Amino acid sequence: MSNYARRERLLLVDLLEAVGPDAPTLCQGWTTQDLAGHLVVRERRPDAAGGMFIKPLAARLAKVHGEYSARPYAELLELIRTGPPPLSLFGIPGADEAANTVEYFVHGEDVRRAQRDWVPRVLDAEFADALWGKLARTAALAGRRSPVGLVLRRPDGQTTVARKGSPVVTVTGEPGELLMFVMGRQAHAQVDLEGDHEAVAKVTTAQLGV
């Protein structure tokens, strides 16, 4: 059985270690220190992590995130590297792979693509297929706020609908690039867009993502 989440986790930790705590990321307003704090809170503090989705908990999330982000960078990286604790929801067998493969891949690209002279990562075919499978299952959720119809297409012609509607914009690219696009990193995704000029402009600036 694949363990892409574990691989992506370790690759991200290596990248965070290499660039240091003060490097920029694609997450608005966050340095790598802030991103590391987010990842630890998400995995180890479910009492606060709910603030990502539940507005009344947002203030608590911000407070706990600030506390964790103030910890030593090396400590945060070690907490990420060791993975979810047994009592974490992510510690349930299969949960890490299901919930964290995309999380760690996208955040890895958030770090990589924010650095000067970054180069695209070449994904092996099996991992690209795995990302496509996850994208196809979550595209409608990630694309629900699109102001136009949104179709995601691989170069081989496979497609999935992120949002029904008209006019339609078709985004073509490799699975990793399509994930970056539909997860709200449109300006940093290497994709081709087809559709009405106004519709394309709207979707490239829309707030997409889960």
Side-chain angles (χ1 to χ4, degrees):
M1 180 179 292
S2 66
N3 198 343
Y4 292 125
R6 180 66 180 164
R7 184 183 74 176
E8 294 305 304
R9 177 191 297 275
L10 296 178
L11 287 173
L12 174 54
V13 171
D14 287 347
L15 187 54
L16 288 169
E17 202 164 44
V19 301
D22 301 315
T25 74
L26 298 187
C27 302
Q28 188 173 10
W30 280 3
T31 63
T32 41
Q33 176 93 25
D34 299 315
L35 176 56
H38 158 76
L39 292 171
V40 173
V41 171
R42 175 179 175 272
E43 199 160 69
R44 293 172 177 266
R45 290 295 302 271
D47 58 306
M52 299 176 199
F53 311 103
I54 304 170
K55 279 191 175 182
L57 297 178
R60 177 169 177 74
L61 171 61
K63 178 178 182 295
V64 174
H65 178 240
E67 292 170 351
Y68 272 83
S69 296
R71 291 189 178 193
Y73 191 59
E75 177 185 331
L76 294 175
L77 297 192
E78 186 59 25
L79 288 172
I80 299 168
R81 181 184 285 112
T82 55
L87 296 181
S88 168
L89 291 175
F90 298 103
I92 298 171
D96 186 44
E97 186 70 11
N100 284 335
T101 300
V102 169
E103 177 81 6
Y104 282 92
F105 169 77
V106 170
H107 281 319
E109 294 304 297
D110 285 338
V111 176
R112 181 190 314 280
R113 299 180 190 215
Q115 310 313 310
R116 182 180 300 178
D117 301 327
W118 72 276
V119 294
R121 175 183 166 189
V122 178
L123 305 182
D124 62 81
E126 287 187 3
F127 185 48
D129 286 343
L131 290 181
W132 174 254
K134 293 181 180 297
L135 175 62
R137 289 190 291 274
T138 60
L141 179 61
R144 68 192 185 283
R145 290 192 293 265
S146 174
V148 299
L150 187 60
V151 174
L152 309 177
R153 182 172 65 195
R154 295 182 74 170
D156 65 6
Q158 293 183 74
T159 63
T160 189
V161 177
R163 195 180 193 289
K164 295 180 180 179
S166 181
V168 176
V169 172
T170 299
V171 186
T172 302
E174 297 295 339
E177 301 300 328
L178 294 175
L179 264 174
M180 293 297 289
F181 188 93
V182 81
M183 293 298 286
R185 283 75 168 172
Q186 297 98 305
H188 303 277
Q190 298 184 329
V191 295
D192 294 318
L193 294 97
E194 302 172 37
D196 174 79
H197 178 75
E198 185 176 346
V200 168
K202 284 181 178 180
V203 79
T204 53
T205 57
Q207 186 178 2
L208 304 179
V210 175

